[in-house]
Amino acid sequence: MNQLIKMQKGITEAVGKRIKVLEDEGLALPEQYSAKNALSSAFFALQKVYGIEKATQESIANALLDMVTQGLSPAKTQCYFIVYGNELQMQRSYFGTVAVLKRLSNVSKVKAEVIHEGDTFEIGSNEDMEMIVTKFEPKFENIDKPIIGAFAMIKLEDGSVSYTVMTKTEIDKSWQQSRNKNNKVQQNFGQEMAKRTVLNRAAKMFINTSDDSDLLTGAINNTTENEFEREEPKEIQAQEKQADDLIKKAIQKPEEPEQKKVEELEDNQESEIDAADEVIEDAKPDIEPMEVESDENQTELFDEFGLIK
């Protein structure tokens, strides 16, 4: 255990040095955010992570680097760590996703809500054909009823609002693709997890059109993707293989027309010769060889086969 603690401490120090280099290159961390304090908090959190002794040093360093780049801290329950095989992954909580979205330029407010059965919820579109939420009226008596959907709102400083809406079916499909397919947190804290899921989708769609640094947006995207299985469905793999085969076939040098005709003619001739041989072989009389004892017997044999006229 002491060796593990020593290794983790060395990694956190290396990440701290790397962050300083990135800051010199233009990485802007949030005000009042202490990378050193966040790394110290992560250092203690990692000691409680199941399977941390199996994680590679590279994956630990990358997880911590993503955490600091996004300005998150385990002390504020903004992120947590999970080991998959020998790879450590950092994942954001709902609070963490709200925090990173607020770091994006021109974002003034971020909010997500769930829709319960019986709530009033209506959508429409604006003049730019963008989907908007036109009405949302939650009711206290519906809080314990089944969740039928969720939506997220990202409001910019200019007053414009970006909405993302997901049905419960879409949320369930997202959870099925998650690495934590049997995660009891989704069952026990469905409301918060639904908010987190729709907010992650909103973040993914929104940041790819932002003008913020690639370091920040890349870290946000990486963390979002870490939660899902990397292996593509077999149907997609089969389609990709078929496409590759077609491409390979298309780039192969086509045969010369004349050469192709000659080869086809030769093939046809060989087929005809083989067929003729089979006919001849079938036409042969199925008789046992006869021993000719005299010229008289031979003459009678020839006459029998019509060879004497």
Side-chain angles (χ1 to χ4, degrees):
M1 188 65 180
N2 291 333
Q3 184 178 359
L4 177 62
I5 293 175
K6 185 178 180 180
M7 180 191 73
Q8 291 177 347
K9 188 174 181 180
I11 292 174
T12 55
E13 290 177 354
V15 171
K17 293 179 181 178
R18 176 59 180 162
I19 289 297
K20 283 195 171 294
V21 173
L22 294 177
E23 285 182 308
D24 293 338
E25 294 177 354
L27 175 64
L29 296 177
E31 294 183 8
Q32 309 300 324
Y33 178 76
S34 171
K36 183 178 180 180
N37 290 344
L39 286 170
S40 297
S41 176
F43 169 72
F44 290 109
L46 287 176
Q47 297 181 49
K48 302 176 183 178
V49 174
Y50 177 77
I52 185 62
E53 68 279 357
K54 300 177 183 178
T56 64
Q57 296 188 30
E58 181 182 3
S59 68
I60 295 175
N62 287 335
L64 295 176
L65 186 61
D66 275 349
M67 178 196 72
V68 176
T69 303
Q70 295 176 71
L72 303 175
S73 173
K76 297 180 180 180
T77 64
Q78 294 174 334
C79 63
Y80 48 91
F81 301 94
I82 300 177
V83 175
Y84 297 102
N86 65 345
E87 184 179 359
L88 180 72
Q89 297 288 351
M90 187 274 294
Q91 296 185 4
R92 291 187 306 266
S93 66
Y94 169 76
F95 304 108
T97 302
V98 170
V100 297
L101 282 174
K102 285 184 176 181
R103 286 191 59 194
L104 299 177
S105 58
N106 299 323
V107 174
S108 63
K109 189 174 182 180
V110 178
K111 186 72 174 177
E113 290 292 346
V114 295
I115 309 160
H116 292 273
E117 190 177 277
D119 291 345
T120 300
F121 182 77
E122 297 176 4
I123 60 174
S125 63
N126 58 21
E127 57 184 11
D128 294 324
M129 296 302 293
E130 296 171 336
M131 185 189 64
I132 59 174
V133 175
T134 58
K135 191 174 184 179
F136 175 54
E137 293 181 357
K139 296 180 181 179
F140 176 77
E141 58 268 25
N142 297 333
I143 293 178
D144 292 332
K145 291 183 179 180
I147 295 173
I148 61 173
F151 71 100
M153 175 199 75
I154 301 177
K155 187 174 184 179
L156 304 184
E157 291 180 353
D158 62 6
S160 60
V161 181
S162 173
Y163 291 99
T164 300
V165 177
M166 295 181 71
T167 64
K168 185 58 166 59
T169 300
E170 290 178 310
I171 293 171
D172 287 338
K173 286 182 179 179
S174 178
W175 289 350
Q176 289 171 8
Q177 294 174 356
S178 171
R179 288 182 169 185
N180 299 324
K181 292 182 178 63
N182 299 318
N183 195 343
K184 292 184 178 180
V185 176
Q186 296 170 352
Q187 302 172 12
N188 298 333
F189 303 96
Q191 182 167 314
E192 292 304 316
M193 292 301 291
K195 287 183 181 181
R196 178 175 174 272
T197 298
V198 72
L199 196 57
N200 274 338
R201 174 174 287 191
K204 185 175 181 178
M205 296 178 64
F206 184 79
I207 67 170
N208 290 330
T209 59
S210 73
D211 296 328
D212 294 272
S213 71
D214 290 339
L215 283 171
L216 174 58
T217 57
I220 296 174
N221 274 334
N222 287 339
T223 305
T224 302
E225 295 299 326
N226 284 341
E227 299 186 28
F228 301 97
E229 296 285 0
R230 299 179 186 275
E231 183 179 357
E232 294 179 328
K234 293 182 179 179
E235 293 81 1
I236 296 178
Q237 292 180 354
Q239 292 174 1
E240 289 182 347
K241 184 180 184 304
Q242 184 179 13
D244 289 340
D245 292 341
L246 290 173
I247 292 172
K248 290 177 182 178
K249 185 177 180 180
I251 63 177
Q252 287 177 350
K253 183 178 180 181
E255 297 178 349
E256 296 295 331
E258 293 301 326
Q259 179 67 21
K260 188 176 181 180
K261 289 181 180 179
V262 171
E263 291 178 358
E264 289 179 353
L265 181 60
E266 291 176 349
D267 291 340
N268 291 336
Q269 288 176 342
E270 290 178 359
S271 298
E272 290 175 357
I273 293 172
D274 292 340
D277 289 341
E278 291 178 3
V279 172
I280 293 172
E281 188 67 28
D282 293 337
K284 289 181 179 179
D286 187 18
I287 59 174
E288 295 293 332
M290 298 180 64
E291 185 177 321
V292 180
E293 298 179 352
S294 65
D295 292 339
E296 184 180 353
N297 290 338
Q298 184 177 11
T299 301
E300 291 176 0
L301 180 62
F302 285 175
D303 184 61
E304 181 181 347
F305 282 92
L307 298 177
I308 298 178
K309 297 182 180 179

